[in-house]
Amino acid sequence: MTDQPVELDKHRGMIAQQATELRRLRADVEANAKALREREQALEAHLLASPAQNWVEAAEKAHYLLTLFAATSAALDPRRQRLIADVLKDFAVLSDGAVG
């Protein structure tokens, strides 16, 4: 008997190893998706907590909503993609110069 652990994956067939790896990857993806949903909920709660105090905060809220919209099928139109990109650039430029 040895003190070294036996790596069981090495003793299984290639198909079983691949199935195990796929299960592990899927579990990681599901955990990451859950964590992302939780962070999105926290962000949305923060954004909803109070009205924007200045243009920069309002632009941040609009930026978040535009980003959500950009991920939908309605935003696949190239004109909408360009409009979203232009508005986000405008927010960045205007936010840099804004003072409350």
Side-chain angles (χ1 to χ4, degrees), residues 1 10 13 19-20 23-24 27-28 31-32 38 41 43 59 62 73-74 76 86 89 97:
M1 189 127 119
K10 289 182 180 179
T20 298
R23 281 192 303 275
R24 289 175 181 157
D28 285 347
N32 289 338
E38 290 170 355
Q41 290 172 350
L43 172 62
S73 60
L76 293 178
D86 287 351
K89 286 179 193 173

Side-chain angles (χ1 to χ4, degrees), residues 33-95:
K34 181 180 180 216
L36 176 60
R37 282 190 303 276
E38 290 170 355
R39 287 193 309 272
E40 285 176 336
Q41 290 172 350
L43 172 62
E44 289 172 6
H46 178 72
L47 292 173
L48 288 168
S50 62
Q53 299 298 308
N54 54 51
W55 284 105
V56 174
E57 290 179 9
E60 283 298 321
K61 287 182 178 186
H63 183 281
Y64 176 72
L65 290 173
L66 280 173
T67 302
L68 288 178
F69 174 70
T72 68
S73 60
L76 293 178
D77 182 302
R79 292 174 300 156
R80 288 181 177 163
Q81 290 177 351
R82 181 172 177 208
L83 184 58
I84 290 168
D86 287 351
V87 169
L88 294 177
K89 286 179 193 173
D90 291 344
F91 284 159
V93 169
L94 295 172
S95 294

